[in-house]
Amino acid sequence: MRLGPLELLLIVLVILLLFGARKLPELARGIGQSAREFKKGLSEGEEKKEEPKA
């Protein structure tokens, strides 16, 4: 199922109505920080897994 331009525009408008224009940059920043922390945690987990045990 693909979304067309009209559906995407409608979704964006609903999000703007729900959160308001002032909250959107704050929301995007929070999502970006969460994604960075998640990737950092994944890479740290892989590093620990690769370390040989003595």
Side-chain angles (χ1 to χ4, degrees), residues 12-33:
V12 168
L13 286 174
V14 169
I15 290 172
L16 274 173
L17 286 173
L18 288 175
F19 295 107
R22 291 184 183 183
K23 285 282 188 181
L24 285 180
E26 213 173 283
L27 184 65
R29 200 173 306 120
I31 291 172
Q33 287 175 347

